[in-house]
Amino acid sequence: MDTKRETIEKLKKEKNAVILAHYYAPPEVQEIADYIGDSFYLSKLAVKLTNPVLVFCGVSFMGESAKLLNPEKTVLMPDASADCPMAHMVEQSVIDEARARYEDLAVVCYVNSTAEIKSWSDVCVTSANAVKIVRNLPNQHILFIPDRNLGHFVAAQVPEKHFLYNEGYCPRHEFMSADEVRVLKDAHPQAQILVHPECNNAITAMSDYIGSTSGIINYAKEHTDCQEFIIGTVSGVIYKLQESRPDARFYFPATRPSCQDMERITLDQVIHVLKTGENAVAMPPESIAEQAKQTLTRMLELAQ
Ligand code: 13P
Ligand code: SF4
């Protein structure tokens, strides 16, 4: 009897497929993935890979972005229902009203958004490149959608521009408890606090570092003089953190933040989509796809 890992290896060869996983996927999924990364790394990678089949262990906006950038490839989602609630949290009227008010407006859209929302926007960003891209845009007025927390984080780094915000948020990061982080800091006063910019203001205000999932992992890797870290993001990142800093200790808020949708992905689902080709991401309608692809392509160009 093959182990699940052996079955996946065989099927990958048969189909010439490659497996991509986000850092929030369960550890056993990250273990069998060919590439693990943050949203920016995975979207760049999807363009570079030559395999005709990509299995994307993430949520729907990730698979959809990979499909938009690679229309000729088959993108398979092990769990077709894995979605990001924030990816839907903006109304078109917010954009229309802002465009009517400011002629010189750039609509900057977090990659955690549907293809339709991307199609309303001028450029896409991820948490790893948002500051750089927004700073270099020629526009003075920026509407940041859908995440208000990432929008405020970028605005603080780019004070020379005027920002408009939208009321979207990631429930996992927004409702993380600052009191729980304070309890951890009291118990481990030497620990540095590393958080994702999707966190609420009370949490970012007490942090030592704010960055994307890969930013957090790299920070812990480079700061070897520190042995303890309090982590303000989804606990799936522990897999890579422990691998890169086996000597360090990592603490998460007691109400362990989890991205339930990504954490549902199983090896059996990976095997199933590889065997059957089910859950292939459909190309969005033409009226949306072209502009949505442009916002993503512009991000890849401006982030160079
Ligand atoms: P990263 O791009 O930092 O991996 O973040 C993606 C995400 O969904 C965070 O909640
Ligand atoms: Fe979306 Fe939040 Fe999950 Fe990230 S952690 S994919 S923002 S629900």
Side-chain angles (χ1 to χ4, degrees), residues 45-262:
L45 188 73
V47 180
K48 278 199 198 134
L49 293 168
T50 52
N51 307 64
V53 179
L54 309 179
V55 178
F56 214 123
C57 301
V59 284
S60 50
F61 76 81
M62 298 176 181
E64 196 175 55
S65 298
K67 183 68 184 175
L68 284 164
L69 290 165
N70 303 277
E72 75 295 347
K73 289 181 192 157
T74 300
V75 181
L76 301 174
M77 301 301 286
D79 188 324
S81 66
D83 197 9
C84 168
M86 179 166 61
H88 306 268
M89 286 188 193
V90 62
E91 300 293 329
Q92 192 170 11
S93 58
V94 172
I95 292 134
D96 292 345
E97 280 163 28
R99 287 208 193 274
R101 270 173 68 199
Y102 297 98
E103 213 177 286
D104 169 41
L105 182 84
V107 179
V108 177
C109 152
Y110 192 20
V111 72
N112 296 40
S113 53
T114 62
E116 188 176 22
I117 291 171
K118 287 184 178 80
S119 77
W120 303 334
S121 309
D122 299 306
V123 64
C124 204
V125 296
T126 75
S127 54
N129 59 35
V131 171
K132 179 179 176 181
I133 290 180
V134 172
R135 189 176 281 143
N136 291 327
L137 286 174
N139 316 64
Q140 184 58 28
H141 302 285
I142 307 291
L143 170 63
F144 198 98
I145 57 170
D147 187 12
R148 63 171 175 230
N149 291 331
L150 180 61
H152 281 280
F153 168 72
V154 176
Q157 318 294 310
V158 191
E160 67 276 18
K161 300 207 180 206
H162 168 239
F163 282 73
L164 302 167
Y165 306 97
N166 168 69
E167 284 307 306
Y169 57 85
C170 161
R172 324 296 170 223
H173 288 84
E174 172 71 13
F175 302 124
M176 211 177 282
S177 152
D179 284 341
E180 288 182 356
V181 174
R182 238 172 259 120
V183 167
L184 286 172
K185 184 68 179 171
D186 289 345
H188 310 283
Q190 302 304 324
Q192 290 203 321
I193 304 177
L194 319 182
V195 309
H196 199 278
E198 288 176 15
C199 286
N200 63 61
N201 189 37
I203 301 232
T204 52
M206 64 174 112
S207 67
D208 296 290
Y209 172 80
I210 308 171
S212 69
T213 50
S214 56
I216 290 172
I217 291 162
N218 288 336
Y219 185 98
K221 199 170 166 183
E222 281 157 21
H223 290 71
T224 46
D225 51 327
C226 185
Q227 295 298 313
E228 296 181 298
F229 299 94
I230 295 163
I231 305 297
T233 193
V234 165
S235 58
V237 293
I238 192 67
Y239 177 79
K240 260 289 170 231
L241 283 170
Q242 271 171 344
E243 188 185 88
S244 52
R245 282 296 309 278
D247 59 315
R249 280 187 298 282
F250 299 98
Y251 309 108
F252 288 85
T255 320
R256 221 171 155 85
S258 78
C259 180
Q260 284 107 331
D261 280 60
M262 265 198 255

